[in-house]
C-alpha cells in the first residue's frame, strides 16, 4: 500500500510547522492502529496507551519517514515496536513481583490476569496460544492482511522469518480451534 | 512431493504464502492426496474461523474525548521539537555569532591590565584600591561617593591592621 498524494501533502505541511495537519493525516488510521495494538497487547487500556504513544512518536519522527514507503505500515511498525516493549516490560515486572513475594510460578499466560474480559473472547483465546512473535506475524498477515513482505518490513525481520513464524502460528491456531474452540470449527 | 513435505508446507499454502514454484508442487500433490487435501481444508477452515471471530469481536474505539486529548498533546510536542530548526539556519548566522564571541574575548584580554579603572559615576560607591608593592608598609583604600563627592580613605599596614581613616 503506497502513500497517496493527500498524505504526502499533509506530511509536508506538518514538517513545515503546521502541526494541525497531523490530525487529518492520522485520522484514517485511528481504528486500524488501535485494533493492531489491541490484538498484540490483548488489553484495552494498554492498547490505547500503545496507540497514543505510536501517534506521538510518529509525529516526532515524521521528518525521518521515507515517503516511498506506506504510511500505514510505518505507523504499524511504530505501534508493533511499542507493544513489544510494553509486553517485555510487563513480563519483567510480573517476574520481579512474583520473585519478590514468592508468589509461586507464573500463570500460563504471563501477560495478563485470568479475569480479564478480553481473554474470554474466542479470538483472544486463540491469540493466547501463540508466542509474542507468532502473534505479531499472525495478526499482521492474517488479521490485518498485510502480505509477507509488508509484514517483514513492519517487524524488521526477513521474509523467511515471517514464513517460519506464520507457519508455526497457523499450526497452533488450527490445533486450538480443534481442541479448545470446537464451536468455531463447526461454524457455530 | 511426499506427504510429509506437503504437510510441512500446507500452513503457508493455506494462506497463499508459498513461493510460486512450491505452490505448484504442493497443489499437484494435494490434488492427488485425499489426506493432505483434508488437512488443507482444516487449515483453511480454522483460519476463516479465526478471522471471523476477530471481526465479530471488534476492537476498542477511541472516544472523541480521548482522541481530542491525544491531538492536543501533539501541539506541545510540536513546540518542544521547534529548537531543532536552529540547526537549519544559514551558516553565516553561526559564523557571525562565533566572530562576536572571539571579538569580545580579544577585547577583554586587551583591557584587562588596569584600564579603564573604576569610574565615580559607574555605581553607588566607587572604590579605588592603591596597589601595594612588596616593600610598601602602608596601604590606602579610597572610596568616593558619586552623589556627594565625599571621599573616605582607609589606611592599613602591610598586615591589614587598621591604621586610621580620613574624610
Amino acid at each position: 500500500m503506497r502513500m497517496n498524494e493527500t498524505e504526502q501533502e499533509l506530511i509536508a505541511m506538518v514538517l513545515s510547522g503546521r502541526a494541525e495537519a497531523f490530525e487529518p493525516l492520522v485520522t484514517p488510521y485511528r481504528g486500524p492502529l488501535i485494533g493492531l495494538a489491541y490484538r498484540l497487547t490483548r488489553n484495552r487500556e494498554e492498547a490505547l496507551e500503545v496507540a497514543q504513544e505510536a501517534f506521538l512518536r510518529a509525529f516526532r519522527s515524521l521528518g525521518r519517514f521515507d515517503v516511498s514507503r506506506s504510511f500505514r505500515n510505518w505507523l504499524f511498525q511504530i505501534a508493533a515496536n511499542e507493544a513489544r516493549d510494553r509486553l517485555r516490560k510487563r513480563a519483567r515486572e510480573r517476574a520481579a513481583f512474583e520473585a519478590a513475594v514468592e508468589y509461586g510460578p507464573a500463570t500460563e499466560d504471563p501477560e495478563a490476569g485470568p479475569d480479564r474480559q478480553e481473554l474470554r473472547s474466542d479470538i483472544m483465546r486463540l491469540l493466547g496460544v501463540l508466542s509474542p512473535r507468532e502473534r505479531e506475524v499472525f495478526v499482521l498477515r492474517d488479521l490485518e492482511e498485510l502480505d509477507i513482505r509488508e509484514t517483514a518490513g513492519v517487524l524488521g525481520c526477513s521474509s523467511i522469518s515471517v514464513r517460519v513464524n506464520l507457519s508455526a502460528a497457523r499450526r497452533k491456531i488450527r490445533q486450538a480451534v480443534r481442541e479448545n474452540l470446537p464451536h468455531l470449527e463447526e461454524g457455530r | 512431493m511426499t506427504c510429509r513435505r506437503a504437510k510441512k508446507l500446507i500452513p503457508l499454502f493455506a494462506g497463499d504464502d508459498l513461493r510460486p514454484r512450491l505452490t505448484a508442487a504442493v497443489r499437484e500433490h494435494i490434488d492427488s492426496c485425499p489426506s493432505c487435501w483434508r488437512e488443507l481444508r482444516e487449515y483453511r477452515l480454522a483460519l476463516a474461523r479465526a478471522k471471523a471471530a476477530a471481526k465479530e469481536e471488534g476492537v476498542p474505539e477511541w472516544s472523541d474525548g480521548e482522541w481530542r486529548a491525544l491531538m492536543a498533546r501533539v501541539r506541545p510536542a510540536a513546540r518542544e521539537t521547534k529548537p531543532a530548526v536552529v540547526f537549519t539556519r544559514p551558516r553565516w548566522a553561526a559564523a557571525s555569532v562565533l566572530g562576536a564571541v572571539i571579538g569580545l574575548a580579544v577585547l577583554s584580554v586587551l583591557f584587562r591590565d588596569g584600564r579603564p579603572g573604576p569610574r565615580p559615576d559607574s555605581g553607588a560607591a566607587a572604590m579605588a584600591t592603591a596597589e601595594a608593592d612588596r616593600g610598601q608598609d602602608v596601604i590606602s583604600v579610597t572610596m568616593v561617593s558619586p552623589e556627594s563627592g565625599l571621599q573616605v580613605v582607609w589606611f592599613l599596614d602591610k598586615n591589614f591592621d587598621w591604621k586610621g581613616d580620613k574624610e
Side-chain angles (χ1 to χ4, degrees), chain B residues 79 104 122 137:
Chain B
R79 282 197 292 273
L104 285 171
S122 63
D137 289 336

Side-chain angles (χ1 to χ4, degrees), chain A residues 61 65 70 73 79 89 100 120-121 141 149 164 166 175:
Chain A
S61 312
F65 170 63
S70 152
N73 291 355
K89 189 177 166 200
R120 291 200 288 267
S121 79
R141 173 68 191 98
R149 276 184 67 184
V164 168
L166 186 61
Q175 196 68 16

Side-chain angles (χ1 to χ4, degrees), chain A residues 6-22:
Chain A
T6 312
E7 279 183 346
Q8 287 190 357
E9 285 165 11
L10 290 169
I11 288 172
M13 285 165 71
V14 175
L15 291 177
S16 70
R18 293 177 60 186
E20 69 275 11
F22 188 70

Side-chain angles (χ1 to χ4, degrees), chain A residues 39 121 170 174 178 184, chain B residues 11 17 42 49 54 57 62:
Chain A
R39 302 290 185 220
S121 79
R170 285 177 180 165
R174 174 203 172 211
R178 185 196 272 175
L184 285 184
Chain B
D17 292 311
E42 272 185 34
R49 298 297 179 218
E57 188 206 34
W62 302 86

